[in-house]
């Protein structure tokens, strides 16, 4: 919950010292990907189909990205668990491409 507004938020924690998936020390390439993810979140404006970025904080070990809280499944989970017809799949792809444009 965001202080002052009592608005529920999501906080994504990106580990700077350890590559989370590979469980090894982070290298320059991994750190660059973390910074790129933050920059992408900052440049995507409201009104897109992306989760709304609110703020970011950093300490020696982690990068914290504060964003709007979205209830429900992730896009990846939704696609894997639903039986999508062609029209629904086209709509989803169109929304993703608009977000990336």
């Amino acid at each position: 919950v965001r202080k002052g507004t009592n608005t529920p938020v999501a906080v994504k924690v990106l580990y700077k010292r350890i590559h989370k998936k590979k469980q090894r020390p982070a290298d320059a390439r991994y750190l660059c990907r973390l910074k790129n993810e933050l920059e992408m979140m900052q440049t995507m404006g409201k009104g897109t189909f992306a989760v709304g970025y609110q703020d970011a904080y950093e300490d020696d070990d982690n990068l914290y990205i504060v964003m709007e809280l979205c209830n429900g499944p992730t896009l990846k989970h939704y696609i894997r668990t639903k039986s999508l017809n062609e029209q629904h799949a086209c709509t989803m792809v169109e929304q993703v491409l608009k977000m990336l444009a």
Side-chain angles (χ1 to χ4, degrees), residues 75-88:
L75 177 59
K76 181 178 179 180
H77 182 262
Y78 183 82
I79 290 171
R80 287 186 172 176
T81 59
K82 298 290 182 187
S83 178
L84 302 177
N85 63 34
E86 185 177 349
Q87 180 60 42
H88 193 168

Side-chain angles (χ1 to χ4, degrees), residues 4-82:
T5 64
N6 285 336
T7 305
V9 295
V11 179
K12 183 172 187 176
V13 180
L14 302 171
Y15 306 101
K16 291 173 16 181
R17 294 189 185 266
I18 299 291
H19 191 296
K20 184 178 176 184
K21 289 185 180 177
K22 298 182 181 176
Q23 293 300 310
R24 64 175 186 195
D27 57 11
R29 183 174 170 208
Y30 174 73
L31 295 174
C32 184
R33 286 189 7 231
L34 295 182
K35 296 290 185 184
N36 286 343
E37 182 171 349
L38 176 59
E39 289 173 9
M40 277 192 335
M41 296 273 315
Q42 290 171 330
T43 57
M44 286 188 218
K46 293 201 180 261
T48 66
F49 297 101
V51 173
Y53 165 85
Q54 293 183 4
D55 215 339
Y57 305 94
E58 186 173 4
D59 61 23
D60 291 338
D61 299 318
N62 302 309
L63 177 62
Y64 306 91
I65 301 176
V66 181
M67 57 192 117
E68 74 177 297
L69 179 63
C70 295
N71 295 317
T74 64
L75 177 59
K76 181 178 179 180
H77 182 262
Y78 183 82
I79 290 171
R80 287 186 172 176
T81 59
K82 298 290 182 187

